[in-house]
Amino acid sequence: TMFSWVNKEQGGRNKDGEMFQTVTEGLQALYTKKLLPLEEAYLFHDFHSPALEPADFQSKPMVLLVGQYSTGKTTFIRYLLEEDFPGMRIGPEPTTDCFIAVMHGENEGIIPGNALVVDPKKPFRKLNAFGNAFLNRFICSQMPNQVLQSISIIDSPGILSGEKQRISRGYNFSEVLRWFGERVDRIILLFDAHKLDISDEFSEAIKAFRGQDDKIRVVLNKADQVDTQQLMRVYGALMWSLGKVINTPEVVRVYLGSYWAKPLQNTENRRLFEAETQDLFRDIQSLPRNAALRKLNDLIKRARLAKVHAYIISHLKKEMPSLFGKENKKKELISKLPEIYVQLQREYHISPGDFPNVIKMQEQLEHYDFSKFPSLKTKLVESVDKMLASKISGLMMMIREEERKQPTQVVSGGAFEGSQDGPFGQGYGEGIGAGADAEDWIVSRDKPKYDEIFYTLMPINGRISGMNAKKEMMSSRLPNSVLGKIWKLADCDKDGMLDDEEFALAQHLIKVKLEGYELPSELPSHLVPPAHRKSLMVGSPFNHEEE
């Protein structure tokens, strides 16, 4: 059968001998055979999260954008795609009041929410639980854009600061976000360098991602509209506010920049913004490569929660009296839920972090008759334990194997194209690349200045010793490891001494490094001192190294 490989511990091939489908199929098979029976037995879907469907395993990596209104979420998507998408509206007032799934499709157009949730090929079928108020505010925007061949992007409604708008949404906004948070690969929180206040609704929204902290990245947008000093303050304030909302041991990664195609208002941090954008692009580009791993990770999280949930439900059932006093006992058990958690943690050696939110659980339990709950079916739990203990590691090895065999898939097209090529890549025509197309040796422009220093260092036969050069080079305060590299590049004839041209070159390289550029591992031809060019051409055998 197609899943026969699941029995072989280390995974294997499906009947077509393809490795690629196997991980996805494998995850799906494990879910339906091992985890789903446990979820169904203990009403997991009513309490926590609807059942997973084939489309959940097969869909492309998704990026969810969340932020207060007018922080540039829609513009950010336009910036990545480098074209408008159907249904896009941009303005200073809250314009996006829908969730828009921007996805790849041959024909450009919009699919309304009600049609979306009946399409088995799209991973949105379970959203119909949020009802019409939500479905009327959910659309899919399809277009044939290259970026969308590898990822889908979800634009969310701008978060408002007032209470009024929150009530008028008509559906549970943070529950919808939680639903998406569990299924996407990356959650990008967008902030505007101008208005940093994190409103209550935004705090609620961020808290909806509890347990998904590894997926969160933060973008501080419009960072070119403030000067450096203000930017430092804004950045500090943002980290402080986020620390109170996202409680993770490590600091969340914040990317600074201006994510639209307009000229920078303030260019003093241009290089910083460039580097940050490249980092952010690399992060997004890695998503397809890590998609299988993310799905595996989410399945493990889900299995652990389902197991804990089964323990809680069966414990409540066990405590119920068989005949009288059911209502009172139910009230008592709900109020004692925190103690029950502690008891179960001890009994089954479970870490507290695996338990669902106690207050929310207490609210949900109000609506159930505990005596109808199932008692503990150890077989179901053991089956999930076995899956976690042995099957997962087999899949893990297959993921690694797959990565090795498949060419790495990377997001391309749109803003991801050309960001590194041509004269606008990093360090092109500046830093070490400066002077590459000039007639003269670029170092000669400052050489008179360097010569003055050179002659104070007591040259003998036109050269200075390493000892004397060292004192002068140390005054740059660069670390020894960097100065050692500069020495190696500048001592062209490897005689352990520097002539005036080599010394000037060393000073030029120090300047490049102090300006914040990287040094090459070999000296580019345009920087070789004129007097040393001929000898290098002939490839003369320098024997100084053997001395």
Side-chain angles (χ1 to χ4, degrees):
T1 66
M2 183 153 70
F3 298 125
S4 60
W5 63 270
V6 178
N7 309 327
K8 291 184 263 174
E9 278 312 290
Q10 301 313 336
R13 301 169 183 281
N14 64 11
K15 63 176 189 297
D16 308 321
E18 284 174 308
M19 291 295 282
F20 189 59
Q21 269 139 357
T22 333
V23 168
T24 308
E25 279 167 8
L27 285 169
Q28 216 174 317
L30 284 184
Y31 176 69
T32 43
K33 289 184 173 172
K34 308 273 184 220
L35 187 52
L36 190 58
L38 181 74
E39 291 184 354
E40 283 170 340
Y42 295 97
L43 312 172
F44 181 84
H45 306 144
D46 301 356
F47 279 87
H48 300 293
S49 173
L52 297 178
E53 306 217 318
D56 287 313
F57 293 98
Q58 286 150 7
S59 64
K60 289 185 183 119
M62 293 193 281
V63 177
L64 171 66
L65 290 180
V66 182
Q68 281 167 224
Y69 73 91
S70 195
T71 45
K73 291 189 298 298
T74 309
T75 311
F76 180 77
I77 299 178
R78 201 207 164 286
Y79 171 82
L80 292 182
L81 303 181
E82 290 189 341
E83 56 177 324
D84 291 353
F85 55 89
M88 152 180 142
R89 298 207 338 270
I90 293 173
E93 78 288 3
T95 44
T96 307
D97 62 344
C98 294
F99 278 86
I100 304 178
V102 188
M103 302 180 90
H104 189 270
E106 289 313 312
N107 306 315
E108 197 163 308
I110 285 176
I111 305 168
N114 287 297
L116 263 184
V117 294
V118 291
D119 181 352
K121 286 202 171 60
K122 296 225 170 17
F124 303 127
R125 283 172 35 135
K126 290 292 195 274
L127 281 167
N128 61 6
F130 291 105
N132 265 334
F134 168 72
L135 293 180
N136 295 335
R137 304 217 165 287
F138 178 41
I139 59 171
C140 172
S141 165
Q142 280 197 185
M143 59 192 297
N145 180 294
Q146 197 185 343
V147 175
L148 299 173
Q149 285 174 358
S150 331
I151 55 171
S152 303
I153 307 173
I154 316 278
D155 192 5
S156 64
I159 292 176
L160 310 158
S161 26
E163 183 66 20
K164 177 177 73 66
Q165 289 101 342
R166 190 160 102 192
I167 294 162
S168 69
R169 283 204 199 272
Y171 60 90
N172 190 331
F173 181 62
S174 53
E175 276 303 300
V176 173
L177 284 182
R178 198 173 75 91
W179 189 93
F180 275 113
E182 284 176 0
R183 285 160 183 79
V184 300
D185 296 67
R186 193 55 87 237
I187 300 165
I188 294 182
L189 303 178
L190 233 80
F191 289 88
D192 179 332
H194 278 306
K195 44 167 191 272
L196 255 199
D197 58 312
I198 300 187
S199 69
D200 294 348
E201 196 183 9
F202 200 7
S203 286
E204 286 306 301
I206 298 174
K207 284 181 184 146
F209 302 131
R210 184 177 160 245
Q212 311 295 337
D213 311 300
D214 50 334
K215 297 179 182 178
I216 296 179
R217 302 286 182 276
V218 174
V219 169
L220 183 54
N221 198 8
K222 308 186 187 178
D224 63 320
Q225 300 188 8
V226 293
D227 62 31
T228 307
Q229 194 182 5
Q230 283 170 304
L231 185 60
M232 294 300 289
R233 286 203 194 116
V234 168
Y235 181 79
L238 176 62
M239 296 307 269
W240 169 254
S241 318
L242 282 174
K244 290 193 288 198
V245 191
I246 303 177
N247 41 0
T248 49
E250 60 279 345
V251 180
V252 64
R253 173 69 163 98
V254 175
Y255 299 93
L256 307 166
S258 173
Y259 296 95
W260 60 347
K262 299 254 171 34
L264 296 176
Q265 287 192 20
N266 196 325
T267 52
E268 54 191 80
N269 293 313
R270 182 190 190 113
R271 298 238 343 258
L272 171 70
F273 298 158
E274 292 287 329
E276 292 280 289
T277 302
Q278 289 307 329
D279 281 358
L280 178 61
F281 280 3
R282 270 196 293 275
D283 186 68
I284 295 174
Q285 283 176 311
S286 72
L287 294 177
R289 200 174 58 234
N290 300 328
L293 203 53
R294 192 274 305 171
K295 286 176 178 146
L296 180 66
N297 200 12
D298 282 355
L299 189 69
I300 297 171
K301 276 187 207 168
R302 189 178 174 105
R304 286 163 61 163
L305 180 61
K307 225 174 80 177
V308 169
H309 180 73
Y311 287 141
I312 296 170
I313 295 295
S314 56
H315 179 88
L316 296 174
K317 158 80 173 185
K318 195 174 72 188
E319 296 296 309
M320 286 305 274
S322 47
L323 292 170
F324 306 108
K326 288 186 181 174
E327 263 317 298
N328 290 341
K329 187 65 180 171
K330 174 177 162 176
K331 282 199 183 80
E332 181 198 329
L333 286 171
I334 290 179
S335 68
K336 278 172 62 180
L337 195 60
E339 294 151 54
I340 294 174
Y341 274 17
V342 176
Q343 190 186 333
L344 293 172
Q345 282 164 28
R346 277 206 297 269
E347 195 176 333
Y348 296 107
H349 313 293
I350 310 167
S351 83
D354 287 357
F355 280 76
N357 179 316
V358 71
I359 297 166
K360 196 172 158 206
M361 192 72 179
Q362 284 169 320
E363 284 168 10
Q364 286 173 305
L365 285 168
E366 297 282 354
H367 311 294
Y368 290 89
D369 175 354
F370 293 6
S371 54
K372 294 213 169 95
F373 281 162
S375 37
L376 190 61
K377 301 183 175 71
T378 41
K379 254 207 160 103
L380 286 178
V381 178
E382 275 167 11
S383 172
V384 169
D385 275 336
K386 214 163 122 190
M387 169 185 101
L388 290 171
S390 59
K391 297 282 190 271
I392 295 286
S393 58
L395 272 181
M396 198 75 179
M397 288 174 70
M398 287 187 55
I399 288 178
R400 293 280 161 259
E401 186 67 13
E402 211 171 82
E403 278 177 356
R404 234 188 49 217
K405 298 204 169 158
Q406 288 289 326
T408 22
Q409 205 192 343
V410 161
V411 181
S412 54
F416 298 97
E417 260 344 281
S419 49
Q420 286 293 8
D421 311 332
F424 299 98
Q426 273 162 312
Y428 192 103
E430 53 213 319
I432 213 69
D437 45 9
E439 288 287 303
D440 57 339
W441 185 44
I442 186 166
V443 182
S444 59
R445 298 175 194 177
D446 288 325
K447 191 163 178 289
K449 190 171 80 191
Y450 300 145
D451 280 351
E452 274 176 39
I453 306 171
F454 179 75
Y455 287 109
T456 62
L457 299 175
M458 327 290 270
I460 301 165
N461 300 335
R463 290 156 190 260
I464 55 171
S465 68
M467 202 61 152
N468 290 357
K470 180 179 176 179
K471 285 190 196 118
E472 175 55 35
M473 288 168 73
M474 296 278 282
S475 68
S476 67
R477 297 188 182 179
L478 285 169
N480 280 355
S481 54
V482 175
L483 292 174
K485 192 170 181 182
I486 289 174
W487 174 272
K488 238 164 99 181
L489 293 169
D491 184 8
C492 298
D493 53 13
K494 306 277 182 278
D495 64 351
M497 303 177 87
L498 300 182
D499 61 24
D500 59 328
E501 286 188 345
E502 291 173 320
F503 177 75
L505 172 61
Q507 296 292 56
H508 176 76
L509 293 173
I510 286 175
K511 187 173 125 205
V512 166
K513 189 65 196 168
L514 289 175
E515 285 171 357
Y517 295 98
E518 290 309 309
L519 294 172
S521 44
E522 280 174 21
L523 194 65
S525 53
H526 71 277
L527 285 183
V528 175
H532 291 267
R533 285 182 189 181
K534 266 201 284 314
S535 54
L536 284 179
M537 301 286 249
V538 182
S540 66
F542 298 123
N543 304 324
H544 300 295
E545 282 148 291
E546 281 82 20
E547 279 172 20

